[in-house]
Amino acid sequence: MLVFLAFATILVPLVLALGSTSYNGLAGTPPMGWDNWNAYGCDIDAETLLETAEKMVDFGLRDLGYKYVILDDCWQNMERSPNGSLVANSTKFPNGMKAVSDRIHDLGLLFGLYSSAGIYTCAQYPASLGHETLDAQTFSDWGVDYLKYDNCYNQGQEGTSKLTFDRYNAMSQALNKTGRPIHYGMCNWGRDYPWNWAQTMANSWRISGDVYDSFNRPDDRCPCTTYDCQLPGFHCSIMNIIGKVAPIVDKGQPGAWNDLDMLEVGNGGMTDDEYKVHFSMWAMIKSPLIMGTNIPKMTASTYSILANPAVIAISQDPASTPAVRIWNREADLDGYGQGSISVWVMALSGGDYAIALLNAGDSDLQMNATLEEIFVDKATTAGGATKGPLPSSKGWDIYDLWAKRMGDDMANSILHGNATMDGTIMDSSNSTMLYNATEMAYEDGVKNNHAALLGVKTNSVDPMGTIQAMVPRHGIAMYRLRAQG
C-alpha cells in the first residue's frame, strides 16, 4: 500500500517511479473484491457485511486477490449531522463505520464505500455533490480504501465531457487531498465518454448502464447497443455490455480501467457456461472483478468459477492490455434474434498470449481461428514483418484455462471448512487448482510455471496453422498460448 504524505510533491514522482500511468499509484492491475448490491440491494448491515468478509478469508478468496469489501448504497442516515457530515445508519451499523472498517482491515482486506456525484444517491440518501471535501475527509477518517461514486440526481451537470469531468474531478481532488490512498471508481454509466478523459483522475469508470443477470436477453430499459449512448439505462445483458466495450478496449490501461460492472456469477439467471463466459470476458477485457453474489451461501459451481486462478492470472497480468476482438460474425440466432461468434486476443507478459473463442450462438459450434488472424495486429502495425519473423510463423503450445477447473467435491470441501487453515488454502504451492496470491503474485507464479496458473496443455498449433475448438452454446474456449522452442 502506498502512503501519500503530500499530494503535490510526493504523488507524481512516486507514480513515475513505479512506471505506472495511474494518477494516484493505485490499480496497476484491475481491482478485485465484492460488492453487496447485486445480492442484497439495500438489505445490508454490519453483520452481513462482516460475515461476508470473514467468509472471503475462510474460502481463500482474499488470497486469490479479492481484497475489497465494498458497501454499496443505503448505508446512510437520511439526514447529515449538525456539522454537515454523512452519518451511518445506527440501526444497520450500531458501532459506526470506523468499527466496520477496522474489522475488515484486521482480516487483511480493504474497505470500500459508496456515494454519488449528485445531491442524492440512487436510493435517495444524502450524496456528495457540493460536499466533496467534507465527505472525502469523512471517508478517509473511516479508513475507506475504495470509493464507488455514482451518477444519480446530478442536477443536470452532464451533457458534455467538461461538465462531467469537472463534477467527478471535484471528488478526485478531494480524495487526494486527504493523503489516504483511495481507489476512485467512477460509476457514471459511460455518460459523456469517460474513457476519453478519466485516466488522469480516476482508477476505473463504468462504460454502460447497470448489468443484470442475463446472458443476452434484450431489455427496453437498456436501449443502446453501442458505446455512443445517450440513455445508458439498466438491465443490460452480458453480451450487450461486451458489444459496447469492444471498440474502446484500448482506453483501459494500468491504473485506469474500463469497468463493465459487477459480476453476476452465482445469482441464478444464467447457465454455468454463460457464467464462464461472463467471468472469462471480464478478465480478458481487464474489467474490475467485483463479485456480486451471496458469498456465505455460494454453491460449489459458483466458487469454482470465481476461484479459477488460471483465468484470474490473465486479469492480473501487469504487462497486458485489454483483449481485442479480432472478428465478430453473426451465427445461429436465438428467439431474441441474438447470436454471434467472436475471437478475442491479448498479449501477456513473457511473450505469452491469451485467446478466447466466444460462442454466443444458439447451439454448440465448431470454431476456428488461424494464427494469421490471431496475430493480425503484429502483421499490420509497428513495422510488421520488417521487424523480424511474425508470431504466426512460430509453433505454439495451447493451454486450456478451464481444464483444471476445481471439481464440486473439492469446492464443497473448501466451502464447508474442510480444506482451509488459518484463512489460507493449504498446500497451494504445489496444487494444480489452488493458488495463494498473497504469498506469490500472479506475475511471479506465471514466471515460475505454477501449475494452477497455466491450465492444461491440450494441443499445439503449427506455424501458420489453425486453432480449433468445439465451443458449447453460450460458451467459451479460453487458452494461454506459449511459443515453442
Side-chain angles (χ1 to χ4, degrees):
M1 186 68 69
L2 303 177
V3 178
F4 304 118
L5 301 178
F7 175 75
T9 59
I10 298 296
L11 176 59
V12 173
L14 184 54
V15 170
L16 292 176
L18 291 173
S20 171
T21 55
S22 172
Y23 87 104
N24 61 1
L26 301 177
T29 58
M32 298 174 60
W34 174 84
D35 182 294
N36 66 274
W37 188 258
N38 287 354
Y40 296 97
C42 281
D43 189 17
I44 188 68
D45 55 24
E47 181 179 0
T48 303
L49 195 75
L50 294 178
E51 179 190 15
T52 298
E54 290 163 1
K55 291 299 184 183
M56 287 171 65
V57 176
D58 292 345
F59 297 164
L61 294 168
R62 176 198 64 186
D63 291 329
L64 280 164
Y66 294 100
K67 298 290 190 183
Y68 289 102
V69 179
I70 304 167
L71 175 58
D72 214 292
D73 205 350
C74 309
W75 58 264
Q76 311 92 321
N77 273 346
M78 294 303 296
E79 302 290 339
R80 289 175 174 264
S81 72
N83 73 359
S85 299
L86 291 169
V87 179
N89 183 299
S90 59
T91 301
K92 294 181 176 182
F93 303 94
N95 296 316
M97 206 55 75
K98 184 63 164 60
V100 171
S101 174
D102 287 347
R103 176 55 183 154
I104 287 172
H105 290 149
D106 288 345
L107 291 168
L109 295 162
L110 299 170
F111 178 47
L113 201 60
Y114 167 100
S115 189
S116 181
I119 61 170
Y120 305 116
T121 70
C122 295
Q124 300 183 338
Y125 288 86
S128 296
L129 183 64
H131 301 271
E132 291 86 358
T133 298
L134 178 60
D135 289 356
Q137 190 59 54
T138 298
F139 301 150
S140 177
D141 293 344
W142 285 345
V144 170
D145 305 296
Y146 185 118
L147 178 65
K148 176 182 175 181
Y149 204 45
D150 218 330
N151 193 34
C152 288
Y153 300 99
N154 61 33
Q155 300 292 86
Q157 295 183 37
E158 65 177 7
T160 70
S161 294
K162 185 66 167 68
L163 274 173
T164 299
F165 176 91
D166 288 345
R167 180 163 50 92
Y168 278 89
N169 192 45
M171 179 56 80
S172 176
Q173 295 299 314
L175 292 173
N176 288 336
K177 288 176 182 177
T178 69
R180 182 176 181 83
I182 299 175
H183 176 107
Y184 185 35
M186 287 176 45
C187 182
N188 82 319
W189 323 319
R191 293 286 286 142
D192 297 325
Y193 316 115
W195 46 84
N196 286 331
W197 46 260
Q199 291 87 345
T200 60
M201 46 82 77
N203 298 116
S204 59
W205 52 85
R206 284 273 302 280
I207 64 97
S208 169
D210 291 355
V211 70
Y212 85 126
D213 194 9
S214 172
F215 183 73
N216 70 345
R217 176 186 172 275
D219 192 302
D220 286 344
R221 291 164 290 184
C222 179
C224 299
T225 57
T226 74
Y227 70 86
D228 190 7
C229 181
Q230 294 301 309
L231 182 60
F234 61 106
H235 270 222
C236 299
S237 72
I238 301 308
M239 289 305 301
N240 174 278
I241 293 173
I242 290 173
K244 286 173 180 171
V245 78
I248 58 170
V249 289
D250 62 300
K251 302 298 186 178
Q253 61 191 44
W257 303 106
N258 289 308
D259 182 354
L260 310 190
D261 206 357
M262 297 168 286
L263 293 164
E264 291 281 6
V265 177
N267 290 335
M270 289 185 264
T271 67
D272 189 76
D273 280 326
E274 290 168 347
Y275 281 137
K276 284 172 60 181
V277 170
H278 180 17
F279 188 65
S280 299
M281 292 308 300
W282 263 229
M284 288 282 289
I285 295 167
K286 296 185 81 75
S287 173
L289 296 180
I290 306 299
M291 300 179 292
T293 195
N294 184 325
I295 298 295
K297 294 183 178 179
M298 69 163 53
T299 64
S301 61
T302 296
Y303 181 80
S304 64
I305 291 176
L306 296 172
N308 183 340
V311 173
I312 297 173
I314 302 300
S315 162
Q316 298 299 296
D317 187 310
S320 66
T321 53
V324 174
R325 189 170 68 182
I326 298 302
W327 54 256
N328 182 52
R329 300 164 186 163
E330 186 176 283
D332 203 6
L333 302 185
D334 62 14
Y336 300 129
Q338 306 291 308
S340 64
I341 55 176
S342 57
V343 173
W344 298 72
V345 179
M346 69 189 300
L348 301 171
S349 298
D352 290 357
Y353 284 80
I355 68 167
L357 310 181
L358 171 54
N359 175 17
D362 201 32
S363 63
D364 299 353
L365 292 172
Q366 176 78 34
M367 291 188 64
N368 305 312
T370 68
L371 291 185
E372 188 174 13
E373 291 170 331
I374 290 168
F375 297 118
V376 64
D377 280 1
K378 288 291 185 180
T380 57
T381 58
T386 64
K387 291 190 173 181
L390 294 171
S392 54
S393 67
K394 302 177 183 178
W396 294 81
D397 292 328
I398 302 171
Y399 294 81
D400 187 334
L401 299 182
W402 282 104
K404 286 184 181 175
R405 180 183 178 181
M406 186 183 300
D408 285 352
D409 287 346
M410 177 174 281
N412 277 318
S413 181
I414 292 171
L415 295 175
H416 296 143
N418 299 321
T420 62
M421 180 175 64
D422 298 328
T424 302
I425 293 178
M426 294 191 302
D427 299 326
S428 62
S429 60
N430 296 312
S431 174
T432 62
M433 286 176 274
L434 306 177
Y435 193 73
N436 187 331
T438 303
E439 294 180 349
M440 181 183 294
Y442 283 100
E443 179 183 18
D444 295 329
V446 171
K447 287 179 181 177
N448 290 319
N449 295 318
H450 193 291
L453 304 185
L454 298 185
V456 175
K457 181 181 174 183
T458 56
N459 211 330
S460 60
V461 57
D462 293 331
M464 301 303 294
T466 299
I467 294 175
Q468 300 179 324
M470 178 60 70
V471 185
R473 171 189 181 272
H474 293 182
I476 197 164
M478 187 177 182
Y479 303 115
R480 179 184 285 267
L481 303 185
R482 180 162 284 185
Q484 296 175 343

